[in-house]
Amino acid sequence: MPTQEPSTTEEIEETDVPTSKSAAATTARQKQSDASKRATFEMLKNKKRRERELTIYLTEKDAVTLNLRAIGAQDYDRLVSKHPPTSEQRVEGASYNINTFAPALLAAVVVDPEMSSKEWEEIWNSPDWNRGEVIDLFSSAAGLCVQGLDIPLS
C-alpha cells in the first residue's frame, strides 16, 4: 500500500518538523544536560587515580594478575630525579637510569601484590625474566602514570 505524501505545508509542519514549543523543550533539556556535565573544582580535585589490572602469563597455562595504580605527577617527577642516568645512559639521551628507576616505579605503582623496590630489582635482574618481559612491566606502570586524560576532540 503506497504511503500518502502530505498535501499541504501545514501537514508537513505538524508531522515532520518539531514545533517551536518542542524545540524549546529540547533546547532547555540540552542546556540542563550540558550544565550537569560542567566540571567543578571539587570534581576535579576528587578525581580518582587511574588503575588497571595486568595479567602476566608465567607459563602458557599459569596466569597471575597485578593491580596497578598511578602515582601523581609530582611523585613521578621526584622518583625520576632520584634515579639519574649513568654517564653512558646520558650520552644516549636517557632521562633516568632504567635499571634503578623501573624497579622503584613498579614498587610505587603495583599495589597488589605489594612488593618493595628491592624485590622488583631482583625480578628486573633475574635471568628468568627477559628484557622484553621486564620492559613490558615497566611500560605498563609508566604508561599508567603518564597517560593523558580522555578528552574527545570535537
Side-chain angles (χ1 to χ4, degrees):
M1 177 180 230
T3 59
Q4 186 175 356
E5 293 292 311
S7 59
T8 67
T9 307
E10 289 140 334
E11 285 179 351
I12 293 173
E13 286 179 31
E14 289 177 3
T15 59
D16 294 344
V17 179
T19 64
S20 61
K21 195 174 199 180
S22 68
T26 302
T27 303
R29 279 193 302 274
Q30 184 62 43
K31 283 183 181 179
Q32 182 181 15
S33 176
D34 290 346
S36 69
K37 294 177 187 173
R38 292 226 168 89
T40 64
F41 172 72
E42 284 301 313
M43 292 167 73
L44 295 172
K45 186 176 91 170
N46 293 322
K47 181 191 96 44
K48 301 258 187 252
R49 291 187 281 165
R50 289 184 183 274
E51 293 185 353
R52 86 174 272 216
E53 199 171 80
L54 180 66
T55 301
I56 299 172
Y57 291 89
L58 301 174
T59 66
E60 286 183 27
K61 297 177 184 176
D62 191 19
V64 295
T65 303
L66 305 175
N67 292 321
L68 287 69
R69 183 178 304 127
I71 57 175
Q74 298 298 316
D75 291 335
Y76 184 89
D77 291 345
R78 272 191 289 278
L79 201 55
V80 168
S81 68
K82 288 180 182 177
H83 299 277
T86 63
S87 27
E88 183 180 300
Q89 290 169 333
R90 187 173 283 118
V91 167
E92 294 172 1
S95 304
Y96 48 78
N97 181 337
I98 186 78
N99 295 310
T100 61
F101 175 61
L105 182 65
L106 288 164
V109 172
V110 177
V111 294
D112 186 29
E114 190 174 326
M115 294 170 51
S116 69
S117 289
K118 202 142 201 68
E119 290 170 316
W120 279 111
E121 192 174 317
E122 189 175 327
I123 288 172
W124 189 263
N125 294 316
S126 170
D128 296 324
W129 287 77
N130 70 42
R131 186 51 110 183
E133 292 167 334
V134 293
I135 289 295
D136 283 349
L137 287 171
F138 169 70
S139 295
S140 293
L144 190 63
C145 293
V146 301
Q147 181 180 6
L149 295 173
D150 295 329
I151 300 174
L153 301 175
S154 29

